[in-house]
Amino acid sequence: MRPIVFGPLQRRLFGFFHAPQKTTPARAGLVMCYPFGHEATRAHRLYRVLAERLARQGVAVLRFDYFGTGDSPGGDLDGDMEGWRGDILQAHAELKRLAEVRSIHWLASRLGAALAVQAAGDAADLDRLILWDPIVDGPAYVKELKVEHMGALELSFYAKDKSWFRAHPERDTAPLTEAIGFGINGKLAAQLPAVRADALDVPAHAAAVVFANPADLLAAGWCGRQQRAAQPVRLEALVHPIVWTSDPLADSAIVPAEVTQRLSALFNEPT
């Protein structure tokens, strides 16, 4: 595992490159795209463990932080979806520079999955998208973030008597400015609810495997729409104990074996 800094001078990005340990050239390369905000905290440990496992299988892996997130330069209020899509493409180019690979794949979860689908059309040599619990309905996602944010505030500022709470109905329609400790600028607040299933299309040149809970009807509906449009999309059920918006110190598993096994097994499939 080697720390790297890449991208243009005005938008540097921090990441880790996991060199393949079995074959040269690597038979496959993988770019890992994180989810947004608190959910990236939930995914961090799992991404690292999975990257190390795949490197042992002979896969070249690059995982990185979007601009304004994690260890990359910038602050919370510097990030937006348009810029993050460009960051994915920069990571794609950096992986090609670092490793000679026969195929290139992107693994992306939650909002990162929506970003990856949006960016994939500009990566003509991308072979496959691996989308885990993708966000395909922006308004529903924003509502979820608001609910979880208020829940986190209630836990932080405990009020023994619920009558002490003051109603603020205007917050139901107000744009997000923060989500579970992560700031959101006006541009990102406008972009999140604009994520729509009918505007997310997997490009014809890249197959897609979608892992989602069978209860996730939004993801299933989006996959069905892609399949009816003859897009190369495959839906697989994946039930796991991760609660994306929960405290990372809670009891839910941070690296569930069922997730790492299913995701790493994809790279044993013939391509």
Side-chain angles (χ1 to χ4, degrees):
M1 181 178 71
R2 173 161 61 94
I4 58 172
V5 176
F6 62 97
L9 289 177
Q10 69 275 20
R11 195 180 176 91
R12 303 295 272 170
L13 303 171
F14 178 82
F16 285 98
F17 176 62
H18 299 256
Q21 299 176 21
K22 280 191 174 181
T23 57
T24 303
R27 57 189 175 86
L30 176 68
V31 173
M32 290 182 151
C33 309
Y34 279 101
F36 166 68
H38 191 82
E39 297 177 5
T41 306
R42 300 293 291 144
H44 183 269
R45 175 71 176 169
L46 186 146
Y47 271 33
R48 175 174 177 170
V49 169
L50 180 60
E52 292 171 344
R53 174 178 292 190
L54 289 173
R56 290 194 295 270
Q57 292 179 209
V59 179
V61 182
L62 192 157
R63 55 188 177 92
F64 74 101
D65 296 325
Y66 308 114
F67 187 78
T69 74
D71 291 313
S72 287
D76 287 359
L77 300 183
D78 296 322
D80 68 87
M81 292 182 66
E82 180 181 359
W84 292 339
R85 289 193 294 270
D87 294 344
I88 293 173
L89 296 172
Q90 288 290 338
H92 179 92
E94 183 68 9
L95 176 63
K96 291 196 297 180
R97 189 187 71 81
L98 292 170
E100 181 182 350
V101 294
R102 297 199 297 266
S103 61
I104 302 179
H105 312 252
W106 295 354
L107 166 66
S109 50
R110 300 286 284 170
L111 185 65
L115 293 168
V117 171
Q118 292 172 337
D122 293 321
D125 53 353
L126 175 65
D127 292 278
R128 180 167 60 176
L129 288 161
I130 303 167
L131 309 175
W132 177 25
D133 287 350
I135 297 298
V136 297
D137 186 316
Y141 180 56
V142 169
K143 182 177 180 181
E144 179 183 359
L145 289 177
K146 286 183 176 181
V147 170
E148 296 297 338
H149 180 68
M150 292 307 299
L153 288 177
E154 288 188 17
L155 285 175
S156 299
F157 302 100
Y158 173 69
K160 182 177 181 180
D161 188 339
K162 293 296 183 181
S163 67
W164 297 351
F165 285 82
R166 182 180 300 171
H168 292 277
E170 70 278 4
R171 292 179 179 171
D172 293 338
T173 56
L176 280 173
T177 58
E178 183 182 357
I180 319 178
F182 290 83
I184 295 175
N185 62 36
K187 186 175 183 180
L188 179 58
Q191 292 168 335
L192 290 174
V195 175
R196 302 277 182 174
D198 58 5
L200 286 174
D201 290 317
V202 174
H205 67 266
V209 181
V210 179
F211 289 97
N213 191 301
D216 187 347
L217 300 182
L218 292 173
W222 176 73
C223 289
R225 178 182 176 277
Q226 295 295 301
Q227 292 165 347
R228 289 191 295 273
Q231 301 293 82
V233 174
R234 183 175 96 218
L235 174 63
E236 295 199 9
L238 177 57
V239 179
H240 58 80
I242 292 176
V243 180
W244 287 107
T245 52
S246 77
D247 187 324
L249 298 179
D251 292 333
S252 62
I254 293 178
V255 188
E258 58 267 49
V259 175
T260 56
Q261 290 168 1
R262 293 285 298 283
L263 295 178
S264 61
L266 285 177
F267 291 86
N268 295 323
E269 295 179 354
T271 57

